[in-house]
Structures are given as C-alpha cells and as structure tokens.
Amino acid sequence: MLWSSLVTVVVYGLAQVAQGKPLGSKRWDELSIKHEWVEVPRGWTLEGPAPAEHKFVMRLALKQDGFDELVRHLYEVSEPTHERYGNHLSKEEVDALIAPHPDTADLVEAWLAHHGIQSSDCHRSDAGDWIKVSVSVEQAEQMLSTKYNVYTHETTGEQIVRAMSYSLPSVLEGHIETVAPTTYFGTMRAMRATNHVSPVKPIENDHELQALVSPGNLATVPASCATTITPTCLRALYNSSTYVPKATATNVIGVAGYLEEFANNADLQTFFNRFRTDAVGQTFETVLVNGGGNNQNEPGTEANLDIQYTEGITAPTPNVYFSTGGSPPFTPDSFTTTNSNEPYLDFLDFLGTQSSIPQTISTSYGDDEQTVPKDYATSVCNLFAQFGARGTSFLFSSGDEYTDAPYPVRGVGGGSCRTNDGTNVVRFQPEFPASCPFVTAVGGTIKINPEVAVSFSGGGFSNYFAQPSYQTAKVQTFLTALGSTNEGLFNASGRAYPDVAAQSEGFQVVIGGRVTSVAGTSASAPTMLIQDAQTFAGIVALLNDFRLSNGKSSLGFLNPLLYSATTGLTDITSGSNPGCSTNGFTARAGWDPVTGLGTPDFGRLQSVVLNA
Ligand SMILES: *[C@@H]1O[C@H](CO)[C@@H](O)[C@H](O)[C@H]1NC(C)=O
Ligand SMILES: *[C@@H]1O[C@H](CO)[C@@H](O)[C@H](O)[C@H]1NC(C)=O
C-alpha cells in the first residue's frame, strides 16, 4: 500500500510538472463540475443557507476497478444458453471485482486528508468502493466547492439539506463516481406523499373462492378476481395453486421497507385466516437495518400489503421484512450528525455486507429518472449488477410513484412531463430504478379473462441507460410496429421497460385487524400502493424454490432468461398507459412498454427454469 501510494504521488506529480503546475496541494485546485441543476427541483422550495455546523453523513462512490468484468460475469451466469448459467459469484468474488484500484483509494484518501479527514474517520464498504464520513456543512462546501441550502418539500413539509451543484478536483475524475447527499433531492417521504388506501366493501373471506379454482384451468379463476384480488386469485391466475414449496430451508424472499413502516404479524395471521388458511401460523422475520424499528402497534399499510401478498403466494417459504431506518427530519439547531437521508443506499449497503442474501427481493421505490442525477443513478444501478451476479433477483414496480400530485396517472409520465434541463419541453418521463438494465421492472394489469394493462402502468425508455442486448430484438419489433407514434417524446435507444407485468390493484389487505381494499388510482386520490412487483416476486420465489429443490442454483438476474423464454409469460395485448397529455403506449402482441412480456404462468415457467 505504501509503495503504491508513493507511485501514485510520483505519477500525479509528474503529470502536474508536465502541465507546468507545482506539486503539493495545488493539485486539488483545478475543479470540474460533477453535477448541477438549472432550476430548483420541482416540489421543493429554497429556505436559505444550511447552518455551517450542521453535520451529516457524506457518501463517496469510488470507481469500481473491475466493474466491466463484473457485468461480463453477470451476463454469463444469467444467460440461459451460456455454460456458466446459474454459476453465481460469491460475495468475495464480487467484492474483488468492485474494489477500487489502489491508486483510486490512495488518491481519494489524500484528498480527504487534505480536508482534514483521516482514514480512521471513514467507514468503508467491505470492497472499499463506498466511503462514508461524517462532515459539517462548512467542510462539505469546501470539499465540493458548493453551497448547501435547506429546502422544504411543498407537500410534506419535509426539510432537507442539498446543493444545486457540486464540483470535484479534476484529478479525481474517473476515481469518484458520485457524492451524496448533494444534488439528488428525492426522499422516501416526499415520494410517499400521496399514499392512499380506499376502503371499499371487502369480501369477508375467500374460502368459497378457493373451492371454485380448478388447478391449471384459468377459466376457473373466480369472477370476483376481476375487481378484488386475494392470494387465491393470484395463485389461480398465475397457475401456482397446487405448488408446494420444498426448499424452505434455503429459499428466502425479502421485502424492503422504509419510513418506519412496520409489517404486523397479528394482521398477517388475520389475513391467513381469511385468505390462506393453510398458512396460519407462518410468520416472517424482521431484520432491522440502520436504526430501523419494528413497532407491532403501528401496522403500516404498505408493509402489511407487501408481506401479506409475498407470504400469500409463497407460504411456507421464509419471508424477511427489511425495516430500514427512516432519517430524522432536518433540524437547524441540531448539530449532531443526522444520517444522509438515503435509506435506500443504507439498505443496499447493508445487503452488500451480508454473506447470504434472499434469492428474491422486491422493493417499492421510484422517482422520475430526470430528477435523479445521472452520476447517482449510475452508481445505484451498478449496485444491482453485483446482487444479480450473486444470484438475487431484484424486482421493481414500473410505476410506483406519483411525484406530481394531484395527477392521478403515471403511465408514460405523471404531471407536466416537462424536462428539467432548461429546455422545458414535454418528454415522456422514464422511472428509475425501473430504467436500470440490471433490475426486473414489473408493469401493472387489471381484470381477468383476459388481463388488460392498467392505465397507470409505468413504461417507456431510459434516457440514461442504453438498451441492453437481451431485449433488443423484442423491443425493435415493437418499435417497428409503433412507427412514428410518439416520435420525439422518448428515446428509442434507451433501456426499455417494463420487462413483465402482474395484477396491480384491488388487493384485499388486513390493517389493524380489518380487511381493507387497496385501490390503484382514482381521479381524486392517487395511490402508490401498487402490488405488481410483490406479486411477480412471489412467483419468482416459487420458481427459485423449484430450482433449488431440484438441485439447481437460484435464478439471479432474470431478464436474459425472461426475454429468451418461448413460453411461461401470458402476453397482454390490450390497454394503454396514457400520460404527459398523450395516449402513451398501447399494449400489443409481443413485448410492449406497458406490460412488457406479460404476466407469469408459473406452471409453464417451471419447465423454462428447469431447462435453463
Ligand atoms: C438516449 O439514450 C442514449 C442511450 O442511453 C443516451 O446516450 C442519450 O443521451 C439519450 N438521449 C437523450 C436525449 O436523452
Ligand atoms: C399450468 O401449468 C401446468 C403445468 O404445471 C400446465 O400444464 C398448464 O398448461 C398451465 N395452465 C395454463 C392455463 O397455462
């Protein structure tokens, strides 16, 4: 290490001599802007300068030296025709690939030391690719040549400390990928501003429904499932009613929760009593992340919904609920360190430290891609590649978010859909992380016989991430059929999503002992409690069970397998996802940016995953 740091100094010193600059601290003087906004992000109001003494946790993402190599491994182990399919990497193998180059680590350390931060003040991820350090606003402003301000969210009143731009010394280019918190304003609380549950007349139990279902015969899916979803509906619709999980000693499905939302066990038992009697007594494990809680007196709607449906589909498969600590609101007179208000990164950080992680994970979180700075989005997206390589399937809803309440629709974009780069033109607004090529994005359907796309199903094309080769052929077929419709409103060369779809609304849920129905959306009350990702994740967990109980690996990153499958997904061919004052896209035969490849048929997918 000492040797390599000497080499670093010499190399950089020479570069500076060559450029006619003196050695020493001057090397930090030439700056490059890392990211800047042209306007305060919509929904936020500037309050004033952040107090100089306010302390927060700063994160630095260092360039992962072997990231391209990691992606090569990811595709080899995820491509069903490759000889390495299913041969996932260990945590140690992944850590070795994502570790920064020693020169990168040394250079960043030298820069931190220049700002009075010692190596011992830093907390590093196991691979050393992420550094966390507690800094004051004053210190961060000097490091990043910026000004931090306090901003208030217009709907929730939440206050955050953020910057309109930030810079790094030019010599750190290619060494530091992103710094947070800086210019990403999205927070879990702000994104959850429009949560809504509409109590409708619930059906009291569905024992009668269960009797109606004839396994493998979609024609016997109970008619009530057209408007009211229970586990019986989903298991019948997706052809998993008769499957009995066997790999319960190894297979786990995880649900990630934030914002002090707690999944309640008593409610789960009530739910089982009503809707899945054979699962009564089955519970779940709550794992606390970064100060997360587990208050059983405060059942959370979304947490209950998530756990009741993942369990409702996968019982007796073990379920884990990850409760990640919400961040305390900013208080101007508190000079103690507040965490960085990045519970999502906290959760992914935590997973990265675990030697064993659930084979299937669903999480609700999403934001307009353009509101997530590209450097930040890329660093987060890259994290999913490492979990895929380790054998975990990550599922995201493609439309789990309505930032511009009171607009009820996401579809191809909620709200005005104006670009925030100063040009202020209308463009479809892709959603991140659904737009990340390393996750599986799930669109929404409603009704039965046939299922149709739900109007708020998010879908479209990324402006940040290029179209991955696993989807090119199917996406090109769609684009050819689309012709010039919506031309200029979306980026045809971007990663296209969703990948698949599942039922998204009308889910019966027990909260505080009472059955309630969660609606998708209505003109007056948009909601984000969309269950398509959890539903699809439940089916994936059963497929993982099937593979594991047949002596095979977990599925890991799903997309190359899904796009190459010739059976197992029921194509959804009607419905559309209007938004941005347009009709959006229309579901049609084959892949489309409304429902992707379609909804799962577990029975048929069993043969697909067994032969992979
Ligand atoms: C379109 O997508 C490509 C590939 O991801 C990207 O390089 C390009 O910048 C995008 N164009 C726009 C206008 O966002
Ligand atoms: C359900 O799965 C079985 C295999 O378990 C398959 O034979 C059947 O065709 C599937 N049903 C439908 C309606 O796709």
Side-chain angles (χ1 to χ4, degrees):
M1 203 45 99
L2 181 61
W3 183 82
S4 78
S5 72
L6 284 175
V7 170
T8 309
V9 168
V10 170
V11 168
Y12 282 89
L14 284 177
Q16 281 164 339
V17 169
Q19 289 164 22
K21 284 185 207 150
L23 298 171
S25 67
K26 285 265 189 301
R27 67 172 158 158
W28 309 122
D29 288 355
E30 193 192 311
L31 301 174
S32 307
I33 294 174
K34 190 78 181 137
H35 181 252
E36 66 181 327
W37 294 122
V38 298
E39 58 190 38
V40 175
R42 282 167 213 157
W44 295 92
T45 307
L46 170 67
E47 291 296 334
E53 305 85 349
H54 174 69
K55 294 200 98 180
F56 63 88
V57 174
M58 178 189 279
R59 287 168 200 267
L60 310 169
L62 275 52
K63 182 175 171 54
Q64 301 172 330
D65 196 36
F67 181 72
D68 294 344
E69 186 72 357
L70 173 76
V71 171
R72 187 177 65 77
H73 285 285
L74 172 70
Y75 281 116
E76 289 188 4
V77 301
S78 310
E79 176 59 62
T81 54
H82 200 278
E83 60 186 12
R84 289 183 64 203
Y85 182 79
N87 202 345
H88 298 126
L89 280 63
S90 67
K91 174 183 184 322
E92 291 68 30
E93 287 166 332
V94 166
D95 282 350
L97 289 166
I98 62 177
H101 191 280
D103 291 353
T104 295
D106 292 345
L107 189 63
V108 171
E109 203 156 291
W111 174 63
L112 292 172
H114 172 65
H115 287 284
I117 296 167
Q118 301 314 312
S119 187
S120 54
D121 300 332
C122 300
H123 179 271
R124 289 177 179 73
S125 62
D126 290 351
D129 58 332
W130 285 81
I131 294 178
K132 280 196 284 193
V133 60
S134 170
V135 294
S136 66
V137 161
E138 186 175 26
Q139 207 171 9
E141 288 180 341
Q142 280 163 11
M143 294 167 76
L144 305 175
S145 186
T146 185
K147 282 282 162 214
Y148 276 90
N149 291 307
V150 177
Y151 297 87
T152 304
H153 190 252
E154 285 157 14
T155 325
T156 60
E158 180 184 9
Q159 294 202 318
I160 59 172
V161 172
R162 290 293 186 277
M164 284 293 287
S165 74
Y166 76 104
S167 299
L168 286 170
S170 305
V171 293
L172 290 175
E173 217 165 284
H175 296 282
I176 292 183
E177 305 276 38
T178 194
V179 182
T182 51
T183 53
Y184 178 43
F185 281 55
T187 70
M188 293 290 166
R189 206 167 268 107
M191 284 187 275
R192 287 289 175 271
T194 51
N195 265 12
H196 172 75
V197 177
S198 65
V200 298
K201 188 168 166 289
I203 56 171
E204 275 306 304
N205 66 58
D206 73 349
H207 301 165
E208 310 88 76
L209 291 190
Q210 292 178 31
L212 293 173
V213 176
S214 157
N217 183 354
L218 288 184
T220 67
V221 176
S224 63
C225 300
T227 51
T228 313
I229 295 293
T230 66
T232 302
C233 292
L234 297 174
R235 295 168 76 220
L237 201 51
Y238 299 142
N239 200 9
S240 70
S241 304
T242 54
Y243 184 75
V244 180
K246 292 171 219 57
T248 52
T250 45
N251 191 35
V252 178
I253 176 170
V255 171
Y258 311 94
L259 285 184
E260 305 296 300
E261 267 259 355
F262 311 121
N264 186 278
N265 188 44
D267 281 345
L268 179 66
Q269 299 314 315
T270 307
F271 182 82
F272 282 153
N273 269 305
R274 296 273 174 93
F275 301 123
R276 183 107 203 235
T277 44
D278 63 326
V280 171
Q282 157 116 7
T283 59
F284 58 92
E285 184 191 351
T286 298
V287 172
L288 307 182
V289 180
N290 193 40
N294 182 18
N295 183 348
Q296 286 293 307
N297 295 320
E298 273 181 35
T301 303
E302 179 154 8
N304 269 9
L305 194 55
D306 289 352
I307 211 77
Q308 287 171 20
Y309 278 88
T310 50
E311 292 243 6
I313 296 168
T314 67
T317 302
N319 279 229
V320 171
Y321 183 77
F322 293 100
S323 172
T324 301
S327 48
F330 165 75
T331 37
D333 52 354
S334 162
F335 300 141
T336 54
T337 302
T338 59
N339 80 39
S340 55
N341 206 344
E342 312 266 356
Y344 197 65
L345 283 178
D346 285 328
F347 170 62
L348 295 177
D349 258 10
F350 169 82
L351 273 192
T353 64
Q354 305 296 296
S355 53
S356 143
I357 46 185
Q359 294 88 345
T360 314
I361 296 180
S362 79
T363 162
S364 306
Y365 156 77
D367 215 337
D368 281 358
E369 187 183 72
Q370 70 167 2
T371 69
V372 187
K374 191 173 183 177
D375 58 337
Y376 182 96
T378 304
S379 292
V380 171
C381 179
N382 290 354
L383 288 170
F384 295 115
Q386 80 192 47
F387 296 119
R390 286 181 60 184
T392 289
S393 309
F394 253 95
L395 295 111
F396 281 90
S397 173
S398 67
D400 218 356
E401 169 262 337
Y402 297 86
T403 37
D404 286 348
Y407 297 93
V409 171
R410 178 158 228 296
V412 289
S416 70
C417 295
R418 298 215 170 256
T419 53
N420 62 359
D421 59 358
T423 58
N424 217 35
V425 297
V426 172
R427 296 260 294 170
F428 289 172
Q429 295 298 324
E431 173 160 291
F432 179 81
S435 68
C436 168
F438 305 128
V439 305
T440 299
V442 186
T445 61
I446 44 167
K447 302 191 179 156
I448 57 166
N449 292 327
E451 287 183 75
V452 304
V454 70
S455 65
F456 55 76
S457 184
F461 296 76
S462 173
N463 292 316
Y464 285 178
F465 303 104
Q467 205 164 88
S469 59
Y470 61 73
Q471 65 174 187
T472 315
K474 292 200 163 154
V475 173
Q476 288 311 311
T477 303
F478 170 82
L479 288 170
T480 303
L482 183 69
S484 60
T485 307
N486 295 331
E487 205 165 68
L489 291 171
F490 70 96
N491 188 339
S493 67
R495 138 76 165 154
Y497 74 97
D499 302 298
V500 288
Q503 288 283 325
S504 60
E505 67 166 347
F507 284 60
Q508 304 290 291
V509 60
V510 175
I511 301 161
R514 296 189 28 235
V515 179
T516 306
S517 178
V518 176
T521 184
S522 72
S524 59
T527 174
M528 303 185 312
L529 300 174
I530 297 166
Q531 283 300 292
D532 38 30
Q534 285 72 19
T535 299
F536 200 92
I539 298 295
V540 171
L542 294 182
L543 292 169
N544 274 325
D545 177 276
F546 184 61
R547 269 185 63 92
L548 293 168
S549 57
N550 278 284
K552 302 205 168 209
S553 71
S554 62
L555 290 162
F557 177 44
L558 296 168
N559 296 2
L561 174 78
L562 294 172
Y563 281 87
S564 66
T566 52
T567 179
L569 293 159
T570 305
D571 196 6
I572 307 301
T573 58
S574 63
S576 63
N577 58 355
C580 308
S581 307
T582 74
N583 296 327
F585 294 110
T586 303
R588 53 163 60 241
W591 180 90
D592 56 67
V594 194
T595 54
L597 299 161
T599 58
D601 181 330
F602 174 76
R604 294 182 188 205
L605 282 171
Q606 276 179 290
S607 59
V608 172
V609 303
L610 196 62
N611 296 328

